[in-house]
Amino acid sequence: HVSNVTGVINDVKWVTELAHERGALVLVDGAQSVPHMPVNVQDLDCDFLAFSGHKMLGPTGIGVLYAKKEILEKMEPFQGGGEMIREVSFNPETRRCMISWNTLPWKFEAGTPDIGGAVGLKAAIKYLSALGMENVKAHECDLTDYALKRLKECSRVTVYGPKDAKQKCGIIPFNVEGLNSHDVALILDSYGIMIRSGFHCAQPLHQKFRIPSSARASFYVYNTREEIDRLLEALKEIEESL
């Protein structure tokens, strides 16, 4: 839905319409969109949508898979375990066990779930819901717009992707001329600024940009304009040292 490299918001509703016209099912990767903006699965009309907890202030190792009810009712479980089975019976004539699945969603909840993770994820969802996802998106858009404008002050910094903050979530990939992205990340770490460097799980996109890797600054509900100012001060000092 949203690129975790450039932050661009893709028109997955349009893609879903095209796919459905051709009889295909659609799975949307919402890991980078659900934590940062309002997402309505009914409006998107996607068949599946997945997102993770750790990108939305929740615990690691847990996430959510949404699917249309009619699809889940037709699907067979891919794991076996407690809670997912309604009844097991043995047919002495065929010498085979007969299994009937539990109702949704327990049909797909095999074994003991990650109870602690689910409690933590619920707390994160309640917190973000109280903030309001429109407010979360507006805050990120403001920070992204401010950062994009300030990055123009750096002569050695190249920014990739859309320059319009309204077309993206709070992500800005960039490189500093003369430095590897990993070196940029290490230097910024000495300033107390944490960014990510590398391929960001999207090596083909970096090949498209014809770059070996990129540094990535990202913003969320807890970030401020003052922190962006600190980032720019650090980048300017890095440029002066080259």
Side-chain angles (χ1 to χ4, degrees):
H1 195 181
V2 171
S3 169
N4 69 317
V5 178
T6 64
V8 66
I9 303 172
N10 295 299
D11 189 356
V12 295
K13 183 176 181 178
W14 173 71
V15 174
T16 299
E17 291 174 355
L18 291 180
H20 285 170
E21 287 175 3
R22 290 156 178 79
L25 297 178
V26 177
L27 166 62
V28 174
D29 178 355
Q32 202 67 49
S33 61
V34 171
H36 301 277
M37 57 187 279
V39 175
N40 187 325
V41 291
Q42 292 180 329
D43 179 61
L44 296 178
D45 195 30
C46 56
D47 303 293
F48 304 89
L49 183 140
F51 62 93
S52 56
H54 72 276
K55 285 183 177 285
M56 54 189 303
L57 309 176
T60 58
I62 190 168
V64 173
L65 173 63
Y66 156 83
K68 290 180 177 178
K69 184 178 180 180
E70 59 268 26
I71 295 177
L72 290 177
E73 288 176 339
K74 295 177 182 178
M75 286 177 58
E76 290 292 312
F78 67 98
Q79 284 183 322
E83 294 293 335
M84 59 171 295
I85 296 172
R86 176 186 295 169
E87 183 181 1
V88 179
S89 60
F90 179 73
N91 188 325
E93 295 182 1
T94 61
R95 302 186 65 80
R96 298 184 63 182
C97 286
M98 304 298 294
I99 300 174
S100 60
W101 306 124
N102 205 342
T103 56
L104 297 173
W106 297 279
K107 175 182 175 182
F108 295 97
E109 297 288 343
T112 303
D114 180 7
I115 299 171
V119 171
L121 179 56
K122 178 183 178 180
I125 292 173
K126 288 181 66 176
Y127 176 78
L128 290 173
S129 297
L131 291 179
M133 294 311 298
E134 286 287 359
N135 295 326
V136 171
K137 182 180 180 182
H139 177 68
E140 286 189 22
C141 187
D142 174 72
L143 293 180
T144 304
D145 183 64
Y146 181 70
L148 286 169
K149 290 176 179 176
R150 289 229 53 196
L151 282 167
K152 293 178 181 178
E153 302 170 17
C154 299
S155 59
R156 287 177 172 265
V157 171
T158 300
V159 175
Y160 307 100
K163 306 304 186 293
D164 183 354
K166 294 180 180 179
Q167 296 180 5
K168 58 194 297 177
C169 286
I171 293 174
I172 300 179
F174 66 94
N175 272 321
V176 178
E177 182 184 351
L179 285 177
N180 183 280
S181 66
H182 300 295
D183 294 328
V184 174
L186 284 172
I187 296 171
L188 288 176
D189 182 64
S190 68
Y191 285 85
I193 299 171
M194 180 180 290
I195 66 167
R196 185 176 174 182
S197 60
F199 294 124
H200 320 301
C201 303
Q203 192 169 355
L205 184 56
H206 285 79
Q207 293 170 348
K208 178 71 174 180
F209 287 150
R210 299 183 183 277
I211 54 176
S213 62
S214 65
R216 186 186 72 183
S218 57
F219 317 116
Y220 204 28
V221 294
Y222 40 71
N223 291 118
T224 64
R225 285 192 172 200
E226 288 72 24
E227 290 175 323
I228 294 172
D229 291 336
R230 287 177 56 197
L231 170 63
L232 266 294
E233 290 170 7
L235 287 174
K236 288 180 178 180
E237 289 187 17
I238 292 172
E239 286 187 330
E240 291 173 0
S241 68
L242 295 175

